[in-house]
């Protein structure tokens, strides 16, 4: 190999490496998109614009559940007093917890989840063994 041919071959290898890497990236991306569609995960992705919650899925918030400041206008002393009053009520509920870092605040009873009725599984009838 002559010194004049050497740089040309190196450039050729670099070009093949770039094309190969691009093809592998496109292939793996295509496979992942196919898996994403076939698994149904695409329908769970709420960040996509077409998959935002429908109007009937959005729950109406009442003023009793949370305090919302006025979107326009100044924040007055009355607004702050109302907010602090609601904050103190929530803080009082939290202070009543005996051990807030235990598993008890996350139990089904504490979260208001009704207990499930578990029915025993049916026992299959045994067939008599055949004698030979």
């Amino acid at each position: 190999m002559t010194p004049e041919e050497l740089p040309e071959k190196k450039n050729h290898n670099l070009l093949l490496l770039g094309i190969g890497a691009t093809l592998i990236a496109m292939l793996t991306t295509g496979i992942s998109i196919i898996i994403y569609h076939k698994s149904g995960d695409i329908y769970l992705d709420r960040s996509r614009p077409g998959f935002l919650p429908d109007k009937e899925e959005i729950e109406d918030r009442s003023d009793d559940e949370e305090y919302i400041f006025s979107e326009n206008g100044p924040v007055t002393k009355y607004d702050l007093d109302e907010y602090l009053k609601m904050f103190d009520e929530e803080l009082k509920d939290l202070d009543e917890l005996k051990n807030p870092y235990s598993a008890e605040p996350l139990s089904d009873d504490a979260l208001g989840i009704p207990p499930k009725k578990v029915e025993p599984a049916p026992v299959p009838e045994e067939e008599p063994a055949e004698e030979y």
Side-chain angles (χ1 to χ4, degrees), residues 6-26:
L6 190 60
E8 200 172 294
K9 186 161 176 79
K10 283 184 181 179
N11 287 340
H12 182 67
N13 287 341
L14 185 62
L15 180 65
L16 287 177
L17 179 67
I19 290 172
T22 303
L23 289 175
I24 290 172
M26 289 172 61

Side-chain angles (χ1 to χ4, degrees), residues 102-117:
S102 69
E104 184 180 335
L106 296 176
S107 68
D108 289 348
D109 292 335
L111 296 174
I113 300 172
K116 292 182 179 178
K117 293 183 181 180

Side-chain angles (χ1 to χ4, degrees), residues 56-120:
E56 59 268 4
E57 290 180 347
I58 298 174
E59 296 177 9
D60 290 332
R61 297 180 188 174
S62 67
D63 291 338
D64 298 337
E65 293 176 11
E66 61 184 64
Y67 188 80
I68 300 172
F69 287 104
S70 173
E71 292 178 7
N72 50 12
V75 177
T76 63
K77 182 171 176 18
Y78 174 77
D79 293 331
L80 290 175
D81 289 341
E82 283 294 312
Y83 174 76
L84 290 174
K85 184 175 98 176
M86 294 183 78
F87 181 81
D88 288 339
E89 289 174 10
E90 293 295 324
L91 188 60
K92 181 182 170 189
D93 291 340
L94 291 174
D95 287 338
E96 290 176 1
L97 293 174
K98 294 178 184 172
N99 190 358
Y101 298 104
S102 69
E104 184 180 335
L106 296 176
S107 68
D108 289 348
D109 292 335
L111 296 174
I113 300 172
K116 292 182 179 178
K117 293 183 181 180
V118 178
E119 297 180 16

